[in-house]
PDB file of all heavy atoms in Angstrom:
ATOM      1  N   ASP A   1      12.369  -8.478  17.523  1.00  0.00           N
ATOM      2  CA  ASP A   1      12.095  -9.754  16.874  1.00  0.00           C
ATOM      3  C   ASP A   1      10.634  -9.857  16.450  1.00  0.00           C
ATOM      4  O   ASP A   1       9.724  -9.554  17.229  1.00  0.00           O
ATOM      5  CB  ASP A   1      12.435 -10.913  17.815  1.00  0.00           C
ATOM      6  CG  ASP A   1      13.930 -11.077  18.029  1.00  0.00           C
ATOM      7  OD1 ASP A   1      14.700 -10.479  17.253  1.00  0.00           O
ATOM      8  OD2 ASP A   1      14.318 -11.780  18.976  1.00  0.00           O
ATOM      9  N   GLY A   2      10.430 -10.304  15.234  1.00  0.00           N
ATOM     10  CA  GLY A   2       9.080 -10.487  14.726  1.00  0.00           C
ATOM     11  C   GLY A   2       8.479  -9.264  14.083  1.00  0.00           C
ATOM     12  O   GLY A   2       7.410  -9.333  13.474  1.00  0.00           O
ATOM     13  N   SER A   3       9.149  -8.137  14.209  1.00  0.00           N
ATOM     14  CA  SER A   3       8.609  -6.896  13.642  1.00  0.00           C
ATOM     15  C   SER A   3       9.282  -6.586  12.311  1.00  0.00           C
ATOM     16  O   SER A   3      10.446  -6.901  12.097  1.00  0.00           O
ATOM     17  CB  SER A   3       8.827  -5.721  14.592  1.00  0.00           C
ATOM     18  OG  SER A   3      10.205  -5.382  14.671  1.00  0.00           O
ATOM     19  N   CYS A   4       8.523  -6.003  11.411  1.00  0.00           N
ATOM     20  CA  CYS A   4       9.024  -5.527  10.130  1.00  0.00           C
ATOM     21  C   CYS A   4       7.843  -4.875   9.424  1.00  0.00           C
ATOM     22  O   CYS A   4       6.696  -4.982   9.869  1.00  0.00           O
ATOM     23  CB  CYS A   4       9.590  -6.667   9.273  1.00  0.00           C
ATOM     24  SG  CYS A   4       8.418  -7.991   8.884  1.00  0.00           S
ATOM     25  N   LEU A   5       8.120  -4.203   8.325  1.00  0.00           N
ATOM     26  CA  LEU A   5       7.033  -3.588   7.565  1.00  0.00           C
ATOM     27  C   LEU A   5       6.024  -4.646   7.134  1.00  0.00           C
ATOM     28  O   LEU A   5       4.807  -4.427   7.209  1.00  0.00           O
ATOM     29  CB  LEU A   5       7.601  -2.869   6.336  1.00  0.00           C
ATOM     30  CG  LEU A   5       6.569  -2.349   5.323  1.00  0.00           C
ATOM     31  CD1 LEU A   5       5.589  -1.379   5.976  1.00  0.00           C
ATOM     32  CD2 LEU A   5       7.275  -1.693   4.137  1.00  0.00           C
ATOM     33  N   LEU A   6       6.503  -5.808   6.698  1.00  0.00           N
ATOM     34  CA  LEU A   6       5.586  -6.843   6.230  1.00  0.00           C
ATOM     35  C   LEU A   6       4.664  -7.308   7.346  1.00  0.00           C
ATOM     36  O   LEU A   6       3.481  -7.580   7.117  1.00  0.00           O
ATOM     37  CB  LEU A   6       6.370  -8.029   5.668  1.00  0.00           C
ATOM     38  CG  LEU A   6       5.520  -9.032   4.880  1.00  0.00           C
ATOM     39  CD1 LEU A   6       4.963  -8.389   3.618  1.00  0.00           C
ATOM     40  CD2 LEU A   6       6.332 -10.275   4.532  1.00  0.00           C
ATOM     41  N   TYR A   7       5.180  -7.386   8.581  1.00  0.00           N
ATOM     42  CA  TYR A   7       4.332  -7.791   9.699  1.00  0.00           C
ATOM     43  C   TYR A   7       3.253  -6.741   9.968  1.00  0.00           C
ATOM     44  O   TYR A   7       2.086  -7.083  10.225  1.00  0.00           O
ATOM     45  CB  TYR A   7       5.162  -8.021  10.966  1.00  0.00           C
ATOM     46  CG  TYR A   7       4.308  -8.377  12.157  1.00  0.00           C
ATOM     47  CD1 TYR A   7       3.640  -9.602  12.208  1.00  0.00           C
ATOM     48  CD2 TYR A   7       4.147  -7.491  13.218  1.00  0.00           C
ATOM     49  CE1 TYR A   7       2.833  -9.930  13.295  1.00  0.00           C
ATOM     50  CE2 TYR A   7       3.344  -7.805  14.302  1.00  0.00           C
ATOM     51  CZ  TYR A   7       2.690  -9.022  14.337  1.00  0.00           C
ATOM     52  OH  TYR A   7       1.880  -9.352  15.403  1.00  0.00           O
ATOM     53  N   SER A   8       3.625  -5.469   9.901  1.00  0.00           N
ATOM     54  CA  SER A   8       2.620  -4.412  10.077  1.00  0.00           C
ATOM     55  C   SER A   8       1.527  -4.524   9.024  1.00  0.00           C
ATOM     56  O   SER A   8       0.338  -4.367   9.324  1.00  0.00           O
ATOM     57  CB  SER A   8       3.279  -3.030   9.997  1.00  0.00           C
ATOM     58  OG  SER A   8       4.079  -2.777  11.139  1.00  0.00           O
ATOM     59  N   MET A   9       1.922  -4.783   7.787  1.00  0.00           N
ATOM     60  CA  MET A   9       0.944  -4.966   6.723  1.00  0.00           C
ATOM     61  C   MET A   9       0.073  -6.190   6.991  1.00  0.00           C
ATOM     62  O   MET A   9      -1.154  -6.148   6.837  1.00  0.00           O
ATOM     63  CB  MET A   9       1.654  -5.094   5.373  1.00  0.00           C
ATOM     64  CG  MET A   9       2.456  -3.867   4.978  1.00  0.00           C
ATOM     65  SD  MET A   9       3.422  -4.086   3.467  1.00  0.00           S
ATOM     66  CE  MET A   9       2.128  -3.930   2.227  1.00  0.00           C
ATOM     67  N   LYS A  10       0.696  -7.261   7.422  1.00  0.00           N
ATOM     68  CA  LYS A  10      -0.011  -8.513   7.710  1.00  0.00           C
ATOM     69  C   LYS A  10      -1.076  -8.310   8.790  1.00  0.00           C
ATOM     70  O   LYS A  10      -2.159  -8.907   8.727  1.00  0.00           O
ATOM     71  CB  LYS A  10       1.004  -9.575   8.142  1.00  0.00           C
ATOM     72  CG  LYS A  10       0.429 -10.930   8.536  1.00  0.00           C
ATOM     73  CD  LYS A  10       1.567 -11.885   8.879  1.00  0.00           C
ATOM     74  CE  LYS A  10       1.073 -13.135   9.587  1.00  0.00           C
ATOM     75  NZ  LYS A  10       0.184 -13.945   8.728  1.00  0.00           N
ATOM     76  N   CYS A  11      -0.791  -7.466   9.774  1.00  0.00           N
ATOM     77  CA  CYS A  11      -1.753  -7.205  10.848  1.00  0.00           C
ATOM     78  C   CYS A  11      -3.038  -6.568  10.322  1.00  0.00           C
ATOM     79  O   CYS A  11      -4.091  -6.656  10.955  1.00  0.00           O
ATOM     80  CB  CYS A  11      -1.127  -6.297  11.914  1.00  0.00           C
ATOM     81  SG  CYS A  11       0.125  -7.104  12.941  1.00  0.00           S
ATOM     82  N   ALA A  12      -2.941  -5.910   9.159  1.00  0.00           N
ATOM     83  CA  ALA A  12      -4.103  -5.232   8.576  1.00  0.00           C
ATOM     84  C   ALA A  12      -4.865  -6.108   7.601  1.00  0.00           C
ATOM     85  O   ALA A  12      -5.815  -5.647   6.957  1.00  0.00           O
ATOM     86  CB  ALA A  12      -3.651  -3.946   7.878  1.00  0.00           C
ATOM     87  N   LYS A  13      -4.486  -7.368   7.497  1.00  0.00           N
ATOM     88  CA  LYS A  13      -5.071  -8.273   6.507  1.00  0.00           C
ATOM     89  C   LYS A  13      -6.591  -8.344   6.598  1.00  0.00           C
ATOM     90  O   LYS A  13      -7.301  -8.235   5.586  1.00  0.00           O
ATOM     91  CB  LYS A  13      -4.463  -9.669   6.670  1.00  0.00           C
ATOM     92  CG  LYS A  13      -5.063 -10.730   5.769  1.00  0.00           C
ATOM     93  CD  LYS A  13      -4.393 -12.081   6.037  1.00  0.00           C
ATOM     94  CE  LYS A  13      -5.033 -13.190   5.214  1.00  0.00           C
ATOM     95  NZ  LYS A  13      -4.367 -14.506   5.474  1.00  0.00           N
ATOM     96  N   ASP A  14      -7.126  -8.517   7.799  1.00  0.00           N
ATOM     97  CA  ASP A  14      -8.580  -8.674   7.947  1.00  0.00           C
ATOM     98  C   ASP A  14      -9.335  -7.423   7.525  1.00  0.00           C
ATOM     99  O   ASP A  14     -10.472  -7.507   7.052  1.00  0.00           O
ATOM    100  CB  ASP A  14      -8.929  -9.017   9.399  1.00  0.00           C
ATOM    101  CG  ASP A  14      -8.516 -10.439   9.782  1.00  0.00           C
ATOM    102  OD1 ASP A  14      -8.208 -11.236   8.874  1.00  0.00           O
ATOM    103  OD2 ASP A  14      -8.482 -10.732  10.991  1.00  0.00           O
ATOM    104  N   ALA A  15      -8.710  -6.268   7.683  1.00  0.00           N
ATOM    105  CA  ALA A  15      -9.358  -4.998   7.320  1.00  0.00           C
ATOM    106  C   ALA A  15      -9.258  -4.709   5.831  1.00  0.00           C
ATOM    107  O   ALA A  15      -9.904  -3.782   5.337  1.00  0.00           O
ATOM    108  CB  ALA A  15      -8.739  -3.851   8.111  1.00  0.00           C
ATOM    109  N   LEU A  16      -8.452  -5.493   5.119  1.00  0.00           N
ATOM    110  CA  LEU A  16      -8.180  -5.202   3.707  1.00  0.00           C
ATOM    111  C   LEU A  16      -8.537  -6.387   2.818  1.00  0.00           C
ATOM    112  O   LEU A  16      -7.746  -6.834   1.991  1.00  0.00           O
ATOM    113  CB  LEU A  16      -6.716  -4.814   3.534  1.00  0.00           C
ATOM    114  CG  LEU A  16      -6.338  -3.470   4.172  1.00  0.00           C
ATOM    115  CD1 LEU A  16      -4.824  -3.318   4.270  1.00  0.00           C
ATOM    116  CD2 LEU A  16      -6.944  -2.316   3.386  1.00  0.00           C
ATOM    117  N   GLN A  17      -9.746  -6.862   2.976  1.00  0.00           N
ATOM    118  CA  GLN A  17     -10.266  -7.907   2.099  1.00  0.00           C
ATOM    119  C   GLN A  17     -11.025  -7.262   0.930  1.00  0.00           C
ATOM    120  O   GLN A  17     -12.215  -7.505   0.704  1.00  0.00           O
ATOM    121  CB  GLN A  17     -11.143  -8.862   2.891  1.00  0.00           C
ATOM    122  CG  GLN A  17     -10.386  -9.682   3.922  1.00  0.00           C
ATOM    123  CD  GLN A  17      -9.287 -10.529   3.290  1.00  0.00           C
ATOM    124  OE1 GLN A  17      -9.551 -11.320   2.375  1.00  0.00           O
ATOM    125  NE2 GLN A  17      -8.064 -10.390   3.775  1.00  0.00           N
ATOM    126  N   CYS A  18     -10.296  -6.423   0.232  1.00  0.00           N
ATOM    127  CA  CYS A  18     -10.819  -5.682  -0.915  1.00  0.00           C
ATOM    128  C   CYS A  18      -9.620  -5.079  -1.627  1.00  0.00           C
ATOM    129  O   CYS A  18      -8.507  -5.065  -1.079  1.00  0.00           O
ATOM    130  CB  CYS A  18     -11.774  -4.568  -0.450  1.00  0.00           C
ATOM    131  SG  CYS A  18     -10.972  -3.283   0.559  1.00  0.00           S
ATOM    132  N   PRO A  19      -9.787  -4.563  -2.830  1.00  0.00           N
ATOM    133  CA  PRO A  19      -8.669  -3.851  -3.462  1.00  0.00           C
ATOM    134  C   PRO A  19      -8.207  -2.700  -2.573  1.00  0.00           C
ATOM    135  O   PRO A  19      -9.024  -2.058  -1.892  1.00  0.00           O
ATOM    136  CB  PRO A  19      -9.281  -3.340  -4.771  1.00  0.00           C
ATOM    137  CG  PRO A  19     -10.384  -4.300  -5.066  1.00  0.00           C
ATOM    138  CD  PRO A  19     -10.958  -4.655  -3.725  1.00  0.00           C
ATOM    139  N   PHE A  20      -6.894  -2.440  -2.568  1.00  0.00           N
ATOM    140  CA  PHE A  20      -6.393  -1.356  -1.717  1.00  0.00           C
ATOM    141  C   PHE A  20      -5.093  -0.793  -2.282  1.00  0.00           C
ATOM    142  O   PHE A  20      -4.471  -1.370  -3.178  1.00  0.00           O
ATOM    143  CB  PHE A  20      -6.204  -1.823  -0.275  1.00  0.00           C
ATOM    144  CG  PHE A  20      -5.094  -2.820  -0.039  1.00  0.00           C
ATOM    145  CD1 PHE A  20      -3.850  -2.417   0.404  1.00  0.00           C
ATOM    146  CD2 PHE A  20      -5.314  -4.185  -0.243  1.00  0.00           C
ATOM    147  CE1 PHE A  20      -2.832  -3.332   0.637  1.00  0.00           C
ATOM    148  CE2 PHE A  20      -4.303  -5.114  -0.018  1.00  0.00           C
ATOM    149  CZ  PHE A  20      -3.065  -4.684   0.428  1.00  0.00           C
ATOM    150  N   ILE A  21      -4.712   0.333  -1.742  1.00  0.00           N
ATOM    151  CA  ILE A  21      -3.445   0.985  -2.075  1.00  0.00           C
ATOM    152  C   ILE A  21      -2.576   0.993  -0.830  1.00  0.00           C
ATOM    153  O   ILE A  21      -3.028   1.436   0.240  1.00  0.00           O
ATOM    154  CB  ILE A  21      -3.658   2.418  -2.576  1.00  0.00           C
ATOM    155  CG1 ILE A  21      -4.412   2.419  -3.909  1.00  0.00           C
ATOM    156  CG2 ILE A  21      -2.321   3.152  -2.725  1.00  0.00           C
ATOM    157  CD1 ILE A  21      -4.854   3.797  -4.364  1.00  0.00           C
ATOM    158  N   PHE A  22      -1.368   0.479  -0.938  1.00  0.00           N
ATOM    159  CA  PHE A  22      -0.386   0.654   0.132  1.00  0.00           C
ATOM    160  C   PHE A  22       0.382   1.930  -0.161  1.00  0.00           C
ATOM    161  O   PHE A  22       0.974   2.089  -1.228  1.00  0.00           O
ATOM    162  CB  PHE A  22       0.579  -0.528   0.198  1.00  0.00           C
ATOM    163  CG  PHE A  22       1.804  -0.239   1.039  1.00  0.00           C
ATOM    164  CD1 PHE A  22       1.683   0.083   2.378  1.00  0.00           C
ATOM    165  CD2 PHE A  22       3.072  -0.255   0.472  1.00  0.00           C
ATOM    166  CE1 PHE A  22       2.802   0.377   3.151  1.00  0.00           C
ATOM    167  CE2 PHE A  22       4.197   0.034   1.226  1.00  0.00           C
ATOM    168  CZ  PHE A  22       4.065   0.349   2.572  1.00  0.00           C
ATOM    169  N   HIS A  23       0.346   2.863   0.792  1.00  0.00           N
ATOM    170  CA  HIS A  23       1.029   4.145   0.639  1.00  0.00           C
ATOM    171  C   HIS A  23       1.937   4.327   1.850  1.00  0.00           C
ATOM    172  O   HIS A  23       1.460   4.555   2.964  1.00  0.00           O
ATOM    173  CB  HIS A  23      -0.003   5.274   0.565  1.00  0.00           C
ATOM    174  CG  HIS A  23       0.558   6.593   0.155  1.00  0.00           C
ATOM    175  ND1 HIS A  23      -0.065   7.423  -0.753  1.00  0.00           N
ATOM    176  CD2 HIS A  23       1.712   7.249   0.511  1.00  0.00           C
ATOM    177  CE1 HIS A  23       0.647   8.523  -0.919  1.00  0.00           C
ATOM    178  NE2 HIS A  23       1.738   8.426  -0.152  1.00  0.00           N
ATOM    179  N   ALA A  24       3.240   4.174   1.644  1.00  0.00           N
ATOM    180  CA  ALA A  24       4.193   4.347   2.745  1.00  0.00           C
ATOM    181  C   ALA A  24       4.049   5.745   3.332  1.00  0.00           C
ATOM    182  O   ALA A  24       3.919   6.727   2.591  1.00  0.00           O
ATOM    183  CB  ALA A  24       5.619   4.123   2.244  1.00  0.00           C
ATOM    184  N   CYS A  25       4.085   5.843   4.650  1.00  0.00           N
ATOM    185  CA  CYS A  25       3.823   7.145   5.274  1.00  0.00           C
ATOM    186  C   CYS A  25       5.026   8.083   5.203  1.00  0.00           C
ATOM    187  O   CYS A  25       4.971   9.198   5.732  1.00  0.00           O
ATOM    188  CB  CYS A  25       3.338   6.977   6.706  1.00  0.00           C
ATOM    189  SG  CYS A  25       4.571   6.393   7.858  1.00  0.00           S
ATOM    190  N   ASP A  26       6.105   7.666   4.535  1.00  0.00           N
ATOM    191  CA  ASP A  26       7.222   8.581   4.295  1.00  0.00           C
ATOM    192  C   ASP A  26       7.310   8.971   2.822  1.00  0.00           C
ATOM    193  O   ASP A  26       8.347   9.436   2.358  1.00  0.00           O
ATOM    194  CB  ASP A  26       8.552   7.997   4.787  1.00  0.00           C
ATOM    195  CG  ASP A  26       8.876   6.636   4.165  1.00  0.00           C
ATOM    196  OD1 ASP A  26       8.136   6.220   3.241  1.00  0.00           O
ATOM    197  OD2 ASP A  26       9.843   6.010   4.609  1.00  0.00           O
ATOM    198  N   THR A  27       6.214   8.785   2.093  1.00  0.00           N
ATOM    199  CA  THR A  27       6.161   9.129   0.673  1.00  0.00           C
ATOM    200  C   THR A  27       5.060  10.143   0.406  1.00  0.00           C
ATOM    201  O   THR A  27       3.907   9.928   0.773  1.00  0.00           O
ATOM    202  CB  THR A  27       5.902   7.870  -0.181  1.00  0.00           C
ATOM    203  OG1 THR A  27       7.108   7.110  -0.273  1.00  0.00           O
ATOM    204  CG2 THR A  27       5.463   8.227  -1.587  1.00  0.00           C
ATOM    205  N   ILE A  28       5.432  11.254  -0.221  1.00  0.00           N
ATOM    206  CA  ILE A  28       4.465  12.272  -0.620  1.00  0.00           C
ATOM    207  C   ILE A  28       4.550  12.438  -2.133  1.00  0.00           C
ATOM    208  O   ILE A  28       5.646  12.551  -2.688  1.00  0.00           O
ATOM    209  CB  ILE A  28       4.751  13.625   0.064  1.00  0.00           C
ATOM    210  CG1 ILE A  28       4.626  13.504   1.586  1.00  0.00           C
ATOM    211  CG2 ILE A  28       3.811  14.713  -0.465  1.00  0.00           C
ATOM    212  CD1 ILE A  28       5.076  14.747   2.334  1.00  0.00           C
ATOM    213  N   ILE A  29       3.413  12.430  -2.784  1.00  0.00           N
ATOM    214  CA  ILE A  29       3.360  12.729  -4.213  1.00  0.00           C
ATOM    215  C   ILE A  29       2.303  13.818  -4.434  1.00  0.00           C
ATOM    216  O   ILE A  29       1.427  14.020  -3.594  1.00  0.00           O
ATOM    217  CB  ILE A  29       3.086  11.477  -5.068  1.00  0.00           C
ATOM    218  CG1 ILE A  29       1.813  10.754  -4.624  1.00  0.00           C
ATOM    219  CG2 ILE A  29       4.261  10.523  -5.000  1.00  0.00           C
ATOM    220  CD1 ILE A  29       0.612  11.175  -5.374  1.00  0.00           C
ATOM    221  N   VAL A  30       2.411  14.528  -5.542  1.00  0.00           N
ATOM    222  CA  VAL A  30       1.477  15.627  -5.807  1.00  0.00           C
ATOM    223  C   VAL A  30       0.670  15.407  -7.079  1.00  0.00           C
ATOM    224  O   VAL A  30      -0.138  16.245  -7.450  1.00  0.00           O
ATOM    225  CB  VAL A  30       2.225  16.982  -5.877  1.00  0.00           C
ATOM    226  CG1 VAL A  30       2.858  17.315  -4.542  1.00  0.00           C
ATOM    227  CG2 VAL A  30       3.287  16.970  -6.979  1.00  0.00           C
ATOM    228  N   GLU A  31       0.878  14.273  -7.727  1.00  0.00           N
ATOM    229  CA  GLU A  31       0.128  13.922  -8.930  1.00  0.00           C
ATOM    230  C   GLU A  31      -1.015  12.978  -8.567  1.00  0.00           C
ATOM    231  O   GLU A  31      -1.012  12.374  -7.493  1.00  0.00           O
ATOM    232  CB  GLU A  31       1.070  13.257  -9.938  1.00  0.00           C
ATOM    233  CG  GLU A  31       2.211  14.160 -10.395  1.00  0.00           C
ATOM    234  CD  GLU A  31       3.328  13.375 -11.053  1.00  0.00           C
ATOM    235  OE1 GLU A  31       3.094  12.829 -12.141  1.00  0.00           O
ATOM    236  OE2 GLU A  31       4.419  13.293 -10.467  1.00  0.00           O
ATOM    237  N   PRO A  32      -2.013  12.848  -9.454  1.00  0.00           N
ATOM    238  CA  PRO A  32      -3.152  11.968  -9.159  1.00  0.00           C
ATOM    239  C   PRO A  32      -2.716  10.521  -8.922  1.00  0.00           C
ATOM    240  O   PRO A  32      -1.811  10.012  -9.586  1.00  0.00           O
ATOM    241  CB  PRO A  32      -4.014  12.086 -10.417  1.00  0.00           C
ATOM    242  CG  PRO A  32      -3.649  13.404 -11.013  1.00  0.00           C
ATOM    243  CD  PRO A  32      -2.188  13.584 -10.727  1.00  0.00           C
ATOM    244  N   VAL A  33      -3.378   9.871  -7.979  1.00  0.00           N
ATOM    245  CA  VAL A  33      -3.117   8.461  -7.678  1.00  0.00           C
ATOM    246  C   VAL A  33      -4.189   7.607  -8.347  1.00  0.00           C
ATOM    247  O   VAL A  33      -5.378   7.826  -8.117  1.00  0.00           O
ATOM    248  CB  VAL A  33      -3.138   8.211  -6.158  1.00  0.00           C
ATOM    249  CG1 VAL A  33      -2.899   6.733  -5.854  1.00  0.00           C
ATOM    250  CG2 VAL A  33      -2.103   9.080  -5.453  1.00  0.00           C
ATOM    251  N   PRO A  34      -3.805   6.644  -9.170  1.00  0.00           N
ATOM    252  CA  PRO A  34      -4.815   5.793  -9.821  1.00  0.00           C
ATOM    253  C   PRO A  34      -5.468   4.848  -8.828  1.00  0.00           C
ATOM    254  O   PRO A  34      -4.859   4.445  -7.831  1.00  0.00           O
ATOM    255  CB  PRO A  34      -4.012   5.025 -10.868  1.00  0.00           C
ATOM    256  CG  PRO A  34      -2.631   4.971 -10.308  1.00  0.00           C
ATOM    257  CD  PRO A  34      -2.431   6.273  -9.576  1.00  0.00           C
ATOM    258  N   GLU A  35      -6.706   4.494  -9.093  1.00  0.00           N
ATOM    259  CA  GLU A  35      -7.383   3.495  -8.278  1.00  0.00           C
ATOM    260  C   GLU A  35      -6.781   2.115  -8.571  1.00  0.00           C
ATOM    261  O   GLU A  35      -6.194   1.901  -9.633  1.00  0.00           O
ATOM    262  CB  GLU A  35      -8.880   3.490  -8.594  1.00  0.00           C
ATOM    263  CG  GLU A  35      -9.574   4.798  -8.228  1.00  0.00           C
ATOM    264  CD  GLU A  35     -11.058   4.769  -8.567  1.00  0.00           C
ATOM    265  OE1 GLU A  35     -11.510   3.794  -9.220  1.00  0.00           O
ATOM    266  OE2 GLU A  35     -11.769   5.710  -8.177  1.00  0.00           O
ATOM    267  N   PRO A  36      -6.932   1.186  -7.642  1.00  0.00           N
ATOM    268  CA  PRO A  36      -6.383  -0.168  -7.876  1.00  0.00           C
ATOM    269  C   PRO A  36      -7.310  -1.037  -8.715  1.00  0.00           C
ATOM    270  O   PRO A  36      -7.769  -2.094  -8.289  1.00  0.00           O
ATOM    271  CB  PRO A  36      -6.216  -0.708  -6.450  1.00  0.00           C
ATOM    272  CG  PRO A  36      -7.299  -0.029  -5.671  1.00  0.00           C
ATOM    273  CD  PRO A  36      -7.408   1.366  -6.252  1.00  0.00           C
ATOM    274  N   THR A  37      -7.580  -0.582  -9.936  1.00  0.00           N
ATOM    275  CA  THR A  37      -8.378  -1.380 -10.862  1.00  0.00           C
ATOM    276  C   THR A  37      -7.525  -2.460 -11.524  1.00  0.00           C
ATOM    277  O   THR A  37      -8.040  -3.300 -12.249  1.00  0.00           O
ATOM    278  CB  THR A  37      -9.007  -0.493 -11.950  1.00  0.00           C
ATOM    279  OG1 THR A  37      -7.980   0.272 -12.590  1.00  0.00           O
ATOM    280  CG2 THR A  37     -10.025   0.466 -11.328  1.00  0.00           C
ATOM    281  N   GLU A  38      -6.227  -2.413 -11.296  1.00  0.00           N
ATOM    282  CA  GLU A  38      -5.281  -3.452 -11.674  1.00  0.00           C
ATOM    283  C   GLU A  38      -4.124  -3.362 -10.701  1.00  0.00           C
ATOM    284  O   GLU A  38      -3.973  -2.366  -9.975  1.00  0.00           O
ATOM    285  CB  GLU A  38      -4.798  -3.264 -13.115  1.00  0.00           C
ATOM    286  CG  GLU A  38      -4.101  -1.948 -13.379  1.00  0.00           C
ATOM    287  CD  GLU A  38      -3.736  -1.770 -14.843  1.00  0.00           C
ATOM    288  OE1 GLU A  38      -3.402  -2.764 -15.501  1.00  0.00           O
ATOM    289  OE2 GLU A  38      -3.801  -0.625 -15.337  1.00  0.00           O
ATOM    290  N   ASP A  39      -3.308  -4.378 -10.654  1.00  0.00           N
ATOM    291  CA  ASP A  39      -2.128  -4.334  -9.787  1.00  0.00           C
ATOM    292  C   ASP A  39      -1.108  -3.383 -10.394  1.00  0.00           C
ATOM    293  O   ASP A  39      -0.763  -3.507 -11.568  1.00  0.00           O
ATOM    294  CB  ASP A  39      -1.529  -5.740  -9.657  1.00  0.00           C
ATOM    295  CG  ASP A  39      -2.486  -6.730  -9.002  1.00  0.00           C
ATOM    296  OD1 ASP A  39      -3.068  -6.390  -7.966  1.00  0.00           O
ATOM    297  OD2 ASP A  39      -2.642  -7.841  -9.549  1.00  0.00           O
ATOM    298  N   TRP A  40      -0.625  -2.419  -9.584  1.00  0.00           N
ATOM    299  CA  TRP A  40       0.361  -1.474 -10.107  1.00  0.00           C
ATOM    300  C   TRP A  40       1.420  -1.142  -9.061  1.00  0.00           C
ATOM    301  O   TRP A  40       1.202  -1.308  -7.866  1.00  0.00           O
ATOM    302  CB  TRP A  40      -0.286  -0.201 -10.641  1.00  0.00           C
ATOM    303  CG  TRP A  40      -1.193   0.589  -9.722  1.00  0.00           C
ATOM    304  CD1 TRP A  40      -2.560   0.598  -9.734  1.00  0.00           C
ATOM    305  CD2 TRP A  40      -0.816   1.521  -8.695  1.00  0.00           C
ATOM    306  NE1 TRP A  40      -3.054   1.462  -8.775  1.00  0.00           N
ATOM    307  CE2 TRP A  40      -1.997   2.039  -8.133  1.00  0.00           C
ATOM    308  CE3 TRP A  40       0.414   1.964  -8.189  1.00  0.00           C
ATOM    309  CZ2 TRP A  40      -2.003   2.979  -7.073  1.00  0.00           C
ATOM    310  CZ3 TRP A  40       0.423   2.882  -7.144  1.00  0.00           C
ATOM    311  CH2 TRP A  40      -0.766   3.380  -6.607  1.00  0.00           C
ATOM    312  N   VAL A  41       2.549  -0.678  -9.552  1.00  0.00           N
ATOM    313  CA  VAL A  41       3.657  -0.238  -8.704  1.00  0.00           C
ATOM    314  C   VAL A  41       4.067   1.158  -9.138  1.00  0.00           C
ATOM    315  O   VAL A  41       4.275   1.409 -10.334  1.00  0.00           O
ATOM    316  CB  VAL A  41       4.870  -1.191  -8.815  1.00  0.00           C
ATOM    317  CG1 VAL A  41       6.048  -0.653  -7.998  1.00  0.00           C
ATOM    318  CG2 VAL A  41       4.502  -2.593  -8.337  1.00  0.00           C
ATOM    319  N   ALA A  42       4.169   2.063  -8.183  1.00  0.00           N
ATOM    320  CA  ALA A  42       4.547   3.439  -8.488  1.00  0.00           C
ATOM    321  C   ALA A  42       6.061   3.600  -8.471  1.00  0.00           C
ATOM    322  O   ALA A  42       6.766   2.980  -7.676  1.00  0.00           O
ATOM    323  CB  ALA A  42       3.922   4.400  -7.470  1.00  0.00           C
ATOM    324  N   GLY A  43       6.551   4.461  -9.372  1.00  0.00           N
ATOM    325  CA  GLY A  43       7.981   4.738  -9.425  1.00  0.00           C
ATOM    326  C   GLY A  43       8.253   6.200  -9.707  1.00  0.00           C
ATOM    327  O   GLY A  43       7.418   6.894 -10.297  1.00  0.00           O
ATOM    328  N   PHE A  44       9.404   6.673  -9.283  1.00  0.00           N
ATOM    329  CA  PHE A  44       9.840   8.047  -9.530  1.00  0.00           C
ATOM    330  C   PHE A  44      10.836   8.035 -10.673  1.00  0.00           C
ATOM    331  O   PHE A  44      11.834   7.327 -10.644  1.00  0.00           O
ATOM    332  CB  PHE A  44      10.473   8.621  -8.261  1.00  0.00           C
ATOM    333  CG  PHE A  44      11.021  10.009  -8.424  1.00  0.00           C
ATOM    334  CD1 PHE A  44      10.220  11.042  -8.874  1.00  0.00           C
ATOM    335  CD2 PHE A  44      12.345  10.279  -8.112  1.00  0.00           C
ATOM    336  CE1 PHE A  44      10.730  12.323  -9.020  1.00  0.00           C
ATOM    337  CE2 PHE A  44      12.855  11.555  -8.241  1.00  0.00           C
ATOM    338  CZ  PHE A  44      12.048  12.580  -8.697  1.00  0.00           C
TER     339      PHE A  44
END
């Protein structure tokens, strides 16, 4: 109860008071990752 991916992300809120990239730890890519100079969503 009370646990979920969103809660884990929420716990990191204070550490992420800046632009950031959320990268799920079960996702591997081999192409360049763009910086968060705008809001973006990655897709395969």
Side-chain angles (χ1 to χ4, degrees):
D1 289 346
S3 70
C4 59
L5 171 58
L6 192 65
Y7 177 69
S8 289
M9 298 174 77
K10 178 178 167 64
C11 288
K13 176 181 176 180
D14 288 346
L16 292 166
Q17 293 301 305
C18 64
F20 68 97
I21 294 171
F22 166 60
H23 191 137
C25 70
D26 56 8
T27 284
I28 298 172
I29 55 93
V30 296
E31 298 163 67
V33 179
E35 296 179 352
T37 54
E38 60 184 325
D39 297 313
W40 55 258
V41 176
F44 177 56

